[in-house]
Amino acid sequence: EKYHAYNIILLTHYYLTPDGKIADRNAGYGDFSPLDIFEKLVKRQKNIKFVVSGHVVSSAYKIDKLENGNTVYQLLQDYQHEDSGGGYIRLLKFDVDKGIVQAEMYSPFYDKVKQDSSKFTLEGIEFLKVEN
């Protein structure tokens, strides 16, 4: 709550399942399930804009419009088992003024972007503007 005027990106090891649902079990990591994290933290803080996770070999995203008026964008990416991982990393390009985020998986090993469902654009994002 101290940083209520800032946009928050929450990183966690395990959160979304391959079909884009919030997992209800913790898969042996930590004391809380991803659903607990959603209920006890994500839903309660209006400035959490993104939740990014991995653990399961897949790519998915889920967008939730919460009762508090916030929209949270939840992203899963994990290519560790495909071609020995191929060195793929998630790149997110933010345009805060236009409310756009472009997402893609890039491999510096192959110097290429994956051309699959992991490449997408999110529009209409209402970022908080921090006053200096």
Side-chain angles (χ1 to χ4, degrees):
E1 292 177 357
K2 179 179 177 181
Y3 300 101
H4 66 275
Y6 290 85
N7 298 288
I8 302 298
I9 300 172
L10 177 64
L11 304 175
T12 187
H13 179 81
Y14 178 55
Y15 186 81
L16 285 186
T17 63
D19 58 355
K21 295 187 171 115
I22 299 171
D24 61 357
R25 294 192 174 100
N26 71 2
Y29 297 95
D31 294 331
F32 299 104
S33 73
L35 191 56
D36 288 333
I37 292 169
F38 179 78
E39 292 293 331
K40 295 175 181 178
L41 179 64
V42 175
K43 275 178 63 172
R44 294 181 181 192
Q45 301 300 322
K46 289 183 76 167
N47 59 334
I48 295 178
K49 298 297 181 186
F50 290 86
V51 179
V52 180
S53 65
H55 179 67
V56 292
V57 181
S58 190
S59 178
Y61 69 90
K62 179 179 184 359
I63 302 170
D64 283 320
K65 181 80 173 167
L66 304 178
E67 291 176 15
N68 64 13
N70 187 32
T71 300
V72 62
Y73 302 86
Q74 299 143 114
L75 311 176
L76 162 68
Q77 69 282 325
D78 185 342
Y79 286 99
Q80 65 184 326
H81 292 282
E82 182 180 311
D83 189 22
S84 298
Y88 284 97
I89 55 175
R90 167 70 69 196
L91 297 180
L92 298 173
K93 299 175 185 171
F94 290 81
D95 187 328
V96 176
D97 293 329
K98 292 182 181 176
I100 296 172
V101 172
Q102 295 174 313
E104 60 188 21
M105 296 298 289
Y106 173 72
S107 168
F109 180 74
Y110 295 121
D111 190 25
K112 74 174 190 178
V113 172
K114 273 190 105 39
Q115 300 299 321
D116 66 2
S117 62
S118 67
K119 185 176 182 176
F120 54 87
T121 300
L122 301 170
E123 299 178 295
I125 300 171
E126 296 178 21
F127 289 105
L128 299 171
K129 306 288 194 228
V130 177
E131 301 294 327
N132 292 330

